[in-house]
Amino acid sequence: MPLRLLPSTLVDRIAAGEVVERPAAALKEIVENALDAGATRIEIIIDGGGRRLMRVTDDGSGMSAEELALAVERHATSKLDSEDLLAIHTLGFRGEALPSIGAVARLTITSRPKGSDSAFEIRVEGGVKSPVRPAALGFGTRVEVRDLFFATPARLKFLKSERAETAAAVDAVKRLALARPEVGFTLVTDDRPPVTWPDRSRDPAGQRARIADVLGQEAGGNALDVEGLREGARLSGLAGLPTYSKANSLSQYLFVNGRPVRDKVLIGAIRAAYADLLPSDRHPVTALFLDLDPREVDVNVHPAKTEVRFRDAGNIRALIVRTLTDALTAGAPRTTSTAADRLTQFARRDLDTGYRPEARPGNYDWSRSWAAPEGFAGAGAIDSGLREAPSRFDFDMTDGAGGSGFASGLGLGLAPSADARANATPAAPEALERPLGAARAQLHETYIIAQTRDGVVVIDQHAAHERIVYEKLKAAMERDGLARQMLLVPLVVELDPSEAARLAERAGALEKLGLVIEPFGPGALLVREVPALLGDADISALVRELAEHAAEWDDALPLERRLLHIAATMACHGSVRAGRRLRVEEMNALLREMEETPNAAQCNHGRPTFVTLALADIERLFARR
């Protein structure tokens, strides 16, 4: 077949395949044009998932008749004033979006520049352009796309359902709305009520308010402010609490110089920052904004402009990891509010029980009390019961002479540090002012009930102590390694041959954590030394669990990450177990150590360690408010 030049309409349709992958991609390009035109209000209408109709109306600068004719020509743009592709300050710059959309759909653009007394309109259907003609419109621009892909019907077969395409288009608008809180958005779709995100330019906390508008109040209430600076790059935004996570990474909103992106460097840095706080199958909720010199980032990588390349990717990664880590470890432990919200959600309904107490008996203010009134046996009975209750375990929580507790050989003090032999005392007023309050009772030998000045805290004793042990184990690793204890008689652990082989291959990494193993025939391992901090823990169970997890360890992970996987498992086996009865002093010591331990709001597996119930919510449960 001889060489020939392709017709211009076919060239446009081929090029459109890169830019207009689906309705959401076309909508993103149109809204970006509106933002680049200086719009302060944008209205978006979507019908049929964007295939039947997409209409975007803005109050931007508008275009004259001559500019309209150029707007639908390929590679015509007003956003580059030079040939320097490294100095890009706009969202668009290629001049491909409108011609590509016009090549595969019925495109109508109506515009009226500010200061002009006339509006003009141009139409493009399947790449065929009509002359510019007068039209009626207020100041700004309206872009209407109908029958997307009618000129390339084969593309329709690859689209998903209308609901899925609508969701993708809405997500694209959300990302742009998050980046520009100073612009008001109205979004209308055919399957849900209209949504309006108001202009937040006058709000001192405009970015946080817009994030709450778009992602919901729940997301805003379970996120931490992020602020960091490193070598000219600035990171800001919100990072979700580890206990407020999602099953996929779609709730990670990332922006570079105001441009929504999906970049492997950024996503990898977020994963590294949360690696110690989340299970492997959970993903954090983030809205992060990275600002840096445009010359330090290349946005001219892909026609969709969702991928970028950094000149110094290491610096950007370090900035994100350090900033997120500092934000997540700063301050008192904090867990998500959703668990408490679920418990009290029915109390927030408009219930009318007919009971509205005006005053409590004897004018006693329970909301300010840290002890029961005279004659009331409740709190005293709890304390008395705890003092007299027999212990269900014989484990030395202290590190006395000759003891074989967690801290033997290390002096780490992994058990709660108070002397458990002290007499039980009523809750001290100063303890009630602490973030986790004062321990008042233990339920099912698993959960600690603590009282604060304005609420109640429920603590999972095993999860909480697991985090404490884990952090101390990590600190010992960084400081001087872990002390090992040689077994008088080596322990033989029978395993599946493949599991035994996998674990034997990682003997070097295990030795760094104090666990010395070696192959002992097919399907068996010989344990010669164990970490001293584990004391009397079940070593056979630990080795079997490590063998099961070894199949999931990625050899591409750095050694440090693999060691942390092992450390997390060891911390689980070396912590106070559920089902163990604790004394008041032990419970309070655990609370105080939680307050001083980084990331104490979640255990090593990402589960919350405590839930806080505000007194106001409890009173709603009993219709006292």
mmCIF file with all atom_site columns, all heavy atoms in Angstrom, residues 299-321:
data_model
loop_
_atom_site.group_PDB
_atom_site.id
_atom_site.type_symbol
_atom_site.label_atom_id
_atom_site.label_alt_id
_atom_site.label_comp_id
_atom_site.label_asym_id
_atom_site.label_entity_id
_atom_site.label_seq_id
_atom_site.pdbx_PDB_ins_code
_atom_site.Cartn_x
_atom_site.Cartn_y
_atom_site.Cartn_z
_atom_site.occupancy
_atom_site.B_iso_or_equiv
_atom_site.pdbx_formal_charge
_atom_site.auth_seq_id
_atom_site.auth_comp_id
_atom_site.auth_asym_id
_atom_site.auth_atom_id
_atom_site.pdbx_PDB_model_num
ATOM 1   N N   . VAL A 1 299 ? 4.957  19.190 33.284 1.00 0.00 ? 299 VAL A N   1
ATOM 2   C CA  . VAL A 1 299 ? 3.560  18.781 33.115 1.00 0.00 ? 299 VAL A CA  1
ATOM 3   C C   . VAL A 1 299 ? 3.275  18.366 31.678 1.00 0.00 ? 299 VAL A C   1
ATOM 4   O O   . VAL A 1 299 ? 2.155  17.964 31.358 1.00 0.00 ? 299 VAL A O   1
ATOM 5   C CB  . VAL A 1 299 ? 2.605  19.928 33.522 1.00 0.00 ? 299 VAL A CB  1
ATOM 6   C CG1 . VAL A 1 299 ? 2.801  20.285 34.974 1.00 0.00 ? 299 VAL A CG1 1
ATOM 7   C CG2 . VAL A 1 299 ? 2.808  21.155 32.644 1.00 0.00 ? 299 VAL A CG2 1
ATOM 8   N N   . ASN A 1 300 ? 4.282  18.429 30.823 1.00 0.00 ? 300 ASN A N   1
ATOM 9   C CA  . ASN A 1 300 ? 4.102  18.104 29.408 1.00 0.00 ? 300 ASN A CA  1
ATOM 10  C C   . ASN A 1 300 ? 4.494  16.648 29.140 1.00 0.00 ? 300 ASN A C   1
ATOM 11  O O   . ASN A 1 300 ? 5.286  16.337 28.260 1.00 0.00 ? 300 ASN A O   1
ATOM 12  C CB  . ASN A 1 300 ? 4.954  19.051 28.547 1.00 0.00 ? 300 ASN A CB  1
ATOM 13  C CG  . ASN A 1 300 ? 4.646  18.925 27.080 1.00 0.00 ? 300 ASN A CG  1
ATOM 14  O OD1 . ASN A 1 300 ? 3.521  18.611 26.702 1.00 0.00 ? 300 ASN A OD1 1
ATOM 15  N ND2 . ASN A 1 300 ? 5.638  19.162 26.239 1.00 0.00 ? 300 ASN A ND2 1
ATOM 16  N N   . VAL A 1 301 ? 3.914  15.743 29.946 1.00 0.00 ? 301 VAL A N   1
ATOM 17  C CA  . VAL A 1 301 ? 4.259  14.326 29.850 1.00 0.00 ? 301 VAL A CA  1
ATOM 18  C C   . VAL A 1 301 ? 3.219  13.544 29.068 1.00 0.00 ? 301 VAL A C   1
ATOM 19  O O   . VAL A 1 301 ? 3.549  12.653 28.292 1.00 0.00 ? 301 VAL A O   1
ATOM 20  C CB  . VAL A 1 301 ? 4.429  13.726 31.262 1.00 0.00 ? 301 VAL A CB  1
ATOM 21  C CG1 . VAL A 1 301 ? 4.699  12.231 31.182 1.00 0.00 ? 301 VAL A CG1 1
ATOM 22  C CG2 . VAL A 1 301 ? 5.547  14.435 32.008 1.00 0.00 ? 301 VAL A CG2 1
ATOM 23  N N   . HIS A 1 302 ? 1.962  13.890 29.262 1.00 0.00 ? 302 HIS A N   1
ATOM 24  C CA  . HIS A 1 302 ? 0.860  13.138 28.641 1.00 0.00 ? 302 HIS A CA  1
ATOM 25  C C   . HIS A 1 302 ? -0.212 14.131 28.230 1.00 0.00 ? 302 HIS A C   1
ATOM 26  O O   . HIS A 1 302 ? -0.428 15.146 28.902 1.00 0.00 ? 302 HIS A O   1
ATOM 27  C CB  . HIS A 1 302 ? 0.294  12.122 29.640 1.00 0.00 ? 302 HIS A CB  1
ATOM 28  C CG  . HIS A 1 302 ? -0.682 11.168 29.031 1.00 0.00 ? 302 HIS A CG  1
ATOM 29  N ND1 . HIS A 1 302 ? -2.025 11.472 28.899 1.00 0.00 ? 302 HIS A ND1 1
ATOM 30  C CD2 . HIS A 1 302 ? -0.525 9.924  28.512 1.00 0.00 ? 302 HIS A CD2 1
ATOM 31  C CE1 . HIS A 1 302 ? -2.645 10.451 28.323 1.00 0.00 ? 302 HIS A CE1 1
ATOM 32  N NE2 . HIS A 1 302 ? -1.764 9.506  28.081 1.00 0.00 ? 302 HIS A NE2 1
ATOM 33  N N   . PRO A 1 303 ? -0.919 13.884 27.112 1.00 0.00 ? 303 PRO A N   1
ATOM 34  C CA  . PRO A 1 303 ? -1.958 14.826 26.672 1.00 0.00 ? 303 PRO A CA  1
ATOM 35  C C   . PRO A 1 303 ? -3.033 15.083 27.721 1.00 0.00 ? 303 PRO A C   1
ATOM 36  O O   . PRO A 1 303 ? -3.605 16.171 27.767 1.00 0.00 ? 303 PRO A O   1
ATOM 37  C CB  . PRO A 1 303 ? -2.554 14.125 25.434 1.00 0.00 ? 303 PRO A CB  1
ATOM 38  C CG  . PRO A 1 303 ? -1.448 13.278 24.909 1.00 0.00 ? 303 PRO A CG  1
ATOM 39  C CD  . PRO A 1 303 ? -0.692 12.812 26.113 1.00 0.00 ? 303 PRO A CD  1
ATOM 40  N N   . ALA A 1 304 ? -3.326 14.107 28.582 1.00 0.00 ? 304 ALA A N   1
ATOM 41  C CA  . ALA A 1 304 ? -4.347 14.321 29.612 1.00 0.00 ? 304 ALA A CA  1
ATOM 42  C C   . ALA A 1 304 ? -3.851 15.201 30.746 1.00 0.00 ? 304 ALA A C   1
ATOM 43  O O   . ALA A 1 304 ? -4.652 15.678 31.553 1.00 0.00 ? 304 ALA A O   1
ATOM 44  C CB  . ALA A 1 304 ? -4.820 12.979 30.169 1.00 0.00 ? 304 ALA A CB  1
ATOM 45  N N   . LYS A 1 305 ? -2.541 15.419 30.837 1.00 0.00 ? 305 LYS A N   1
ATOM 46  C CA  . LYS A 1 305 ? -1.913 16.304 31.824 1.00 0.00 ? 305 LYS A CA  1
ATOM 47  C C   . LYS A 1 305 ? -2.175 15.883 33.264 1.00 0.00 ? 305 LYS A C   1
ATOM 48  O O   . LYS A 1 305 ? -2.149 16.699 34.166 1.00 0.00 ? 305 LYS A O   1
ATOM 49  C CB  . LYS A 1 305 ? -2.374 17.755 31.619 1.00 0.00 ? 305 LYS A CB  1
ATOM 50  C CG  . LYS A 1 305 ? -2.155 18.283 30.207 1.00 0.00 ? 305 LYS A CG  1
ATOM 51  C CD  . LYS A 1 305 ? -2.462 19.766 30.101 1.00 0.00 ? 305 LYS A CD  1
ATOM 52  C CE  . LYS A 1 305 ? -3.921 20.070 30.342 1.00 0.00 ? 305 LYS A CE  1
ATOM 53  N NZ  . LYS A 1 305 ? -4.805 19.465 29.303 1.00 0.00 ? 305 LYS A NZ  1
ATOM 54  N N   . THR A 1 306 ? -2.426 14.590 33.482 1.00 0.00 ? 306 THR A N   1
ATOM 55  C CA  . THR A 1 306 ? -2.608 14.098 34.845 1.00 0.00 ? 306 THR A CA  1
ATOM 56  C C   . THR A 1 306 ? -1.327 13.496 35.413 1.00 0.00 ? 306 THR A C   1
ATOM 57  O O   . THR A 1 306 ? -1.276 13.173 36.594 1.00 0.00 ? 306 THR A O   1
ATOM 58  C CB  . THR A 1 306 ? -3.717 13.029 34.890 1.00 0.00 ? 306 THR A CB  1
ATOM 59  O OG1 . THR A 1 306 ? -3.384 11.979 33.979 1.00 0.00 ? 306 THR A OG1 1
ATOM 60  C CG2 . THR A 1 306 ? -5.062 13.629 34.507 1.00 0.00 ? 306 THR A CG2 1
ATOM 61  N N   . GLU A 1 307 ? -0.316 13.335 34.579 1.00 0.00 ? 307 GLU A N   1
ATOM 62  C CA  . GLU A 1 307 ? 0.967  12.825 35.019 1.00 0.00 ? 307 GLU A CA  1
ATOM 63  C C   . GLU A 1 307 ? 2.002  13.942 34.971 1.00 0.00 ? 307 GLU A C   1
ATOM 64  O O   . GLU A 1 307 ? 1.974  14.782 34.069 1.00 0.00 ? 307 GLU A O   1
ATOM 65  C CB  . GLU A 1 307 ? 1.432  11.659 34.142 1.00 0.00 ? 307 GLU A CB  1
ATOM 66  C CG  . GLU A 1 307 ? 0.487  10.469 34.144 1.00 0.00 ? 307 GLU A CG  1
ATOM 67  C CD  . GLU A 1 307 ? 0.970  9.379  33.219 1.00 0.00 ? 307 GLU A CD  1
ATOM 68  O OE1 . GLU A 1 307 ? 2.168  9.396  32.871 1.00 0.00 ? 307 GLU A OE1 1
ATOM 69  O OE2 . GLU A 1 307 ? 0.159  8.518  32.845 1.00 0.00 ? 307 GLU A OE2 1
ATOM 70  N N   . VAL A 1 308 ? 2.911  13.952 35.929 1.00 0.00 ? 308 VAL A N   1
ATOM 71  C CA  . VAL A 1 308 ? 3.961  14.962 35.977 1.00 0.00 ? 308 VAL A CA  1
ATOM 72  C C   . VAL A 1 308 ? 5.287  14.274 36.265 1.00 0.00 ? 308 VAL A C   1
ATOM 73  O O   . VAL A 1 308 ? 5.329  13.122 36.702 1.00 0.00 ? 308 VAL A O   1
ATOM 74  C CB  . VAL A 1 308 ? 3.673  16.038 37.041 1.00 0.00 ? 308 VAL A CB  1
ATOM 75  C CG1 . VAL A 1 308 ? 2.422  16.835 36.696 1.00 0.00 ? 308 VAL A CG1 1
ATOM 76  C CG2 . VAL A 1 308 ? 3.544  15.419 38.423 1.00 0.00 ? 308 VAL A CG2 1
ATOM 77  N N   . ARG A 1 309 ? 6.373  15.000 36.035 1.00 0.00 ? 309 ARG A N   1
ATOM 78  C CA  . ARG A 1 309 ? 7.713  14.534 36.379 1.00 0.00 ? 309 ARG A CA  1
ATOM 79  C C   . ARG A 1 309 ? 8.422  15.645 37.153 1.00 0.00 ? 309 ARG A C   1
ATOM 80  O O   . ARG A 1 309 ? 8.388  16.798 36.752 1.00 0.00 ? 309 ARG A O   1
ATOM 81  C CB  . ARG A 1 309 ? 8.517  14.192 35.122 1.00 0.00 ? 309 ARG A CB  1
ATOM 82  C CG  . ARG A 1 309 ? 7.957  13.052 34.311 1.00 0.00 ? 309 ARG A CG  1
ATOM 83  C CD  . ARG A 1 309 ? 8.120  11.721 35.016 1.00 0.00 ? 309 ARG A CD  1
ATOM 84  N NE  . ARG A 1 309 ? 7.652  10.629 34.176 1.00 0.00 ? 309 ARG A NE  1
ATOM 85  C CZ  . ARG A 1 309 ? 6.393  10.188 34.135 1.00 0.00 ? 309 ARG A CZ  1
ATOM 86  N NH1 . ARG A 1 309 ? 5.485  10.776 34.897 1.00 0.00 ? 309 ARG A NH1 1
ATOM 87  N NH2 . ARG A 1 309 ? 6.052  9.195  33.347 1.00 0.00 ? 309 ARG A NH2 1
ATOM 88  N N   . PHE A 1 310 ? 9.082  15.252 38.250 1.00 0.00 ? 310 PHE A N   1
ATOM 89  C CA  . PHE A 1 310 ? 9.779  16.223 39.080 1.00 0.00 ? 310 PHE A CA  1
ATOM 90  C C   . PHE A 1 310 ? 11.268 16.197 38.791 1.00 0.00 ? 310 PHE A C   1
ATOM 91  O O   . PHE A 1 310 ? 11.859 15.126 38.586 1.00 0.00 ? 310 PHE A O   1
ATOM 92  C CB  . PHE A 1 310 ? 9.543  15.916 40.564 1.00 0.00 ? 310 PHE A CB  1
ATOM 93  C CG  . PHE A 1 310 ? 8.106  16.052 40.991 1.00 0.00 ? 310 PHE A CG  1
ATOM 94  C CD1 . PHE A 1 310 ? 7.304  14.924 41.139 1.00 0.00 ? 310 PHE A CD1 1
ATOM 95  C CD2 . PHE A 1 310 ? 7.546  17.298 41.226 1.00 0.00 ? 310 PHE A CD2 1
ATOM 96  C CE1 . PHE A 1 310 ? 5.982  15.032 41.521 1.00 0.00 ? 310 PHE A CE1 1
ATOM 97  C CE2 . PHE A 1 310 ? 6.222  17.417 41.609 1.00 0.00 ? 310 PHE A CE2 1
ATOM 98  C CZ  . PHE A 1 310 ? 5.442  16.282 41.758 1.00 0.00 ? 310 PHE A CZ  1
ATOM 99  N N   . ARG A 1 311 ? 11.865 17.374 38.808 1.00 0.00 ? 311 ARG A N   1
ATOM 100 C CA  . ARG A 1 311 ? 13.305 17.448 38.600 1.00 0.00 ? 311 ARG A CA  1
ATOM 101 C C   . ARG A 1 311 ? 14.041 16.772 39.757 1.00 0.00 ? 311 ARG A C   1
ATOM 102 O O   . ARG A 1 311 ? 15.039 16.089 39.556 1.00 0.00 ? 311 ARG A O   1
ATOM 103 C CB  . ARG A 1 311 ? 13.734 18.917 38.482 1.00 0.00 ? 311 ARG A CB  1
ATOM 104 C CG  . ARG A 1 311 ? 15.217 19.087 38.137 1.00 0.00 ? 311 ARG A CG  1
ATOM 105 C CD  . ARG A 1 311 ? 15.612 20.556 38.187 1.00 0.00 ? 311 ARG A CD  1
ATOM 106 N NE  . ARG A 1 311 ? 14.868 21.341 37.228 1.00 0.00 ? 311 ARG A NE  1
ATOM 107 C CZ  . ARG A 1 311 ? 15.234 21.521 35.962 1.00 0.00 ? 311 ARG A CZ  1
ATOM 108 N NH1 . ARG A 1 311 ? 16.342 20.963 35.517 1.00 0.00 ? 311 ARG A NH1 1
ATOM 109 N NH2 . ARG A 1 311 ? 14.506 22.272 35.148 1.00 0.00 ? 311 ARG A NH2 1
ATOM 110 N N   . ASP A 1 312 ? 13.553 16.988 40.984 1.00 0.00 ? 312 ASP A N   1
ATOM 111 C CA  . ASP A 1 312 ? 14.151 16.380 42.168 1.00 0.00 ? 312 ASP A CA  1
ATOM 112 C C   . ASP A 1 312 ? 13.060 15.599 42.895 1.00 0.00 ? 312 ASP A C   1
ATOM 113 O O   . ASP A 1 312 ? 12.463 16.072 43.870 1.00 0.00 ? 312 ASP A O   1
ATOM 114 C CB  . ASP A 1 312 ? 14.750 17.445 43.082 1.00 0.00 ? 312 ASP A CB  1
ATOM 115 C CG  . ASP A 1 312 ? 15.565 16.853 44.222 1.00 0.00 ? 312 ASP A CG  1
ATOM 116 O OD1 . ASP A 1 312 ? 15.535 15.615 44.387 1.00 0.00 ? 312 ASP A OD1 1
ATOM 117 O OD2 . ASP A 1 312 ? 16.204 17.623 44.965 1.00 0.00 ? 312 ASP A OD2 1
ATOM 118 N N   . ALA A 1 313 ? 12.780 14.395 42.418 1.00 0.00 ? 313 ALA A N   1
ATOM 119 C CA  . ALA A 1 313 ? 11.713 13.585 42.997 1.00 0.00 ? 313 ALA A CA  1
ATOM 120 C C   . ALA A 1 313 ? 12.027 13.198 44.440 1.00 0.00 ? 313 ALA A C   1
ATOM 121 O O   . ALA A 1 313 ? 11.116 13.070 45.273 1.00 0.00 ? 313 ALA A O   1
ATOM 122 C CB  . ALA A 1 313 ? 11.487 12.331 42.153 1.00 0.00 ? 313 ALA A CB  1
ATOM 123 N N   . GLY A 1 314 ? 13.304 13.010 44.761 1.00 0.00 ? 314 GLY A N   1
ATOM 124 C CA  . GLY A 1 314 ? 13.682 12.650 46.127 1.00 0.00 ? 314 GLY A CA  1
ATOM 125 C C   . GLY A 1 314 ? 13.314 13.725 47.135 1.00 0.00 ? 314 GLY A C   1
ATOM 126 O O   . GLY A 1 314 ? 12.863 13.428 48.246 1.00 0.00 ? 314 GLY A O   1
ATOM 127 N N   . ASN A 1 315 ? 13.515 14.977 46.748 1.00 0.00 ? 315 ASN A N   1
ATOM 128 C CA  . ASN A 1 315 ? 13.163 16.081 47.637 1.00 0.00 ? 315 ASN A CA  1
ATOM 129 C C   . ASN A 1 315 ? 11.659 16.129 47.883 1.00 0.00 ? 315 ASN A C   1
ATOM 130 O O   . ASN A 1 315 ? 11.205 16.352 49.015 1.00 0.00 ? 315 ASN A O   1
ATOM 131 C CB  . ASN A 1 315 ? 13.638 17.405 47.029 1.00 0.00 ? 315 ASN A CB  1
ATOM 132 C CG  . ASN A 1 315 ? 13.216 18.604 47.858 1.00 0.00 ? 315 ASN A CG  1
ATOM 133 O OD1 . ASN A 1 315 ? 13.504 18.684 49.039 1.00 0.00 ? 315 ASN A OD1 1
ATOM 134 N ND2 . ASN A 1 315 ? 12.506 19.528 47.226 1.00 0.00 ? 315 ASN A ND2 1
ATOM 135 N N   . ILE A 1 316 ? 10.869 15.923 46.830 1.00 0.00 ? 316 ILE A N   1
ATOM 136 C CA  . ILE A 1 316 ? 9.413  15.947 46.971 1.00 0.00 ? 316 ILE A CA  1
ATOM 137 C C   . ILE A 1 316 ? 8.944  14.799 47.852 1.00 0.00 ? 316 ILE A C   1
ATOM 138 O O   . ILE A 1 316 ? 8.084  14.970 48.722 1.00 0.00 ? 316 ILE A O   1
ATOM 139 C CB  . ILE A 1 316 ? 8.747  15.876 45.582 1.00 0.00 ? 316 ILE A CB  1
ATOM 140 C CG1 . ILE A 1 316 ? 9.183  17.077 44.717 1.00 0.00 ? 316 ILE A CG1 1
ATOM 141 C CG2 . ILE A 1 316 ? 7.245  15.831 45.715 1.00 0.00 ? 316 ILE A CG2 1
ATOM 142 C CD1 . ILE A 1 316 ? 8.862  18.424 45.318 1.00 0.00 ? 316 ILE A CD1 1
ATOM 143 N N   . ARG A 1 317 ? 9.516  13.634 47.644 1.00 0.00 ? 317 ARG A N   1
ATOM 144 C CA  . ARG A 1 317 ? 9.122  12.480 48.459 1.00 0.00 ? 317 ARG A CA  1
ATOM 145 C C   . ARG A 1 317 ? 9.462  12.720 49.932 1.00 0.00 ? 317 ARG A C   1
ATOM 146 O O   . ARG A 1 317 ? 8.648  12.435 50.823 1.00 0.00 ? 317 ARG A O   1
ATOM 147 C CB  . ARG A 1 317 ? 9.822  11.217 47.959 1.00 0.00 ? 317 ARG A CB  1
ATOM 148 C CG  . ARG A 1 317 ? 9.331  9.948  48.624 1.00 0.00 ? 317 ARG A CG  1
ATOM 149 C CD  . ARG A 1 317 ? 10.088 8.727  48.100 1.00 0.00 ? 317 ARG A CD  1
ATOM 150 N NE  . ARG A 1 317 ? 9.478  7.492  48.562 1.00 0.00 ? 317 ARG A NE  1
ATOM 151 C CZ  . ARG A 1 317 ? 9.679  6.961  49.763 1.00 0.00 ? 317 ARG A CZ  1
ATOM 152 N NH1 . ARG A 1 317 ? 10.471 7.571  50.624 1.00 0.00 ? 317 ARG A NH1 1
ATOM 153 N NH2 . ARG A 1 317 ? 9.075  5.834  50.111 1.00 0.00 ? 317 ARG A NH2 1
ATOM 154 N N   . ALA A 1 318 ? 10.653 13.227 50.187 1.00 0.00 ? 318 ALA A N   1
ATOM 155 C CA  . ALA A 1 318 ? 11.057 13.490 51.571 1.00 0.00 ? 318 ALA A CA  1
ATOM 156 C C   . ALA A 1 318 ? 10.146 14.533 52.221 1.00 0.00 ? 318 ALA A C   1
ATOM 157 O O   . ALA A 1 318 ? 9.798  14.420 53.405 1.00 0.00 ? 318 ALA A O   1
ATOM 158 C CB  . ALA A 1 318 ? 12.509 13.953 51.610 1.00 0.00 ? 318 ALA A CB  1
ATOM 159 N N   . LEU A 1 319 ? 9.757  15.562 51.451 1.00 0.00 ? 319 LEU A N   1
ATOM 160 C CA  . LEU A 1 319 ? 8.863  16.590 51.980 1.00 0.00 ? 319 LEU A CA  1
ATOM 161 C C   . LEU A 1 319 ? 7.528  15.981 52.399 1.00 0.00 ? 319 LEU A C   1
ATOM 162 O O   . LEU A 1 319 ? 7.006  16.267 53.492 1.00 0.00 ? 319 LEU A O   1
ATOM 163 C CB  . LEU A 1 319 ? 8.646  17.671 50.920 1.00 0.00 ? 319 LEU A CB  1
ATOM 164 C CG  . LEU A 1 319 ? 7.512  18.676 51.189 1.00 0.00 ? 319 LEU A CG  1
ATOM 165 C CD1 . LEU A 1 319 ? 7.816  19.507 52.436 1.00 0.00 ? 319 LEU A CD1 1
ATOM 166 C CD2 . LEU A 1 319 ? 7.293  19.573 49.976 1.00 0.00 ? 319 LEU A CD2 1
ATOM 167 N N   . ILE A 1 320 ? 6.959  15.136 51.553 1.00 0.00 ? 320 ILE A N   1
ATOM 168 C CA  . ILE A 1 320 ? 5.646  14.552 51.857 1.00 0.00 ? 320 ILE A CA  1
ATOM 169 C C   . ILE A 1 320 ? 5.735  13.601 53.047 1.00 0.00 ? 320 ILE A C   1
ATOM 170 O O   . ILE A 1 320 ? 4.919  13.669 53.975 1.00 0.00 ? 320 ILE A O   1
ATOM 171 C CB  . ILE A 1 320 ? 5.095  13.831 50.615 1.00 0.00 ? 320 ILE A CB  1
ATOM 172 C CG1 . ILE A 1 320 ? 4.814  14.838 49.509 1.00 0.00 ? 320 ILE A CG1 1
ATOM 173 C CG2 . ILE A 1 320 ? 3.833  13.053 50.952 1.00 0.00 ? 320 ILE A CG2 1
ATOM 174 C CD1 . ILE A 1 320 ? 4.422  14.213 48.196 1.00 0.00 ? 320 ILE A CD1 1
ATOM 175 N N   . VAL A 1 321 ? 6.723  12.716 53.041 1.00 0.00 ? 321 VAL A N   1
ATOM 176 C CA  . VAL A 1 321 ? 6.845  11.747 54.129 1.00 0.00 ? 321 VAL A CA  1
ATOM 177 C C   . VAL A 1 321 ? 7.065  12.447 55.459 1.00 0.00 ? 321 VAL A C   1
ATOM 178 O O   . VAL A 1 321 ? 6.393  12.146 56.464 1.00 0.00 ? 321 VAL A O   1
ATOM 179 C CB  . VAL A 1 321 ? 7.982  10.747 53.837 1.00 0.00 ? 321 VAL A CB  1
ATOM 180 C CG1 . VAL A 1 321 ? 8.217  9.844  55.038 1.00 0.00 ? 321 VAL A CG1 1
ATOM 181 C CG2 . VAL A 1 321 ? 7.653  9.910  52.615 1.00 0.00 ? 321 VAL A CG2 1
#
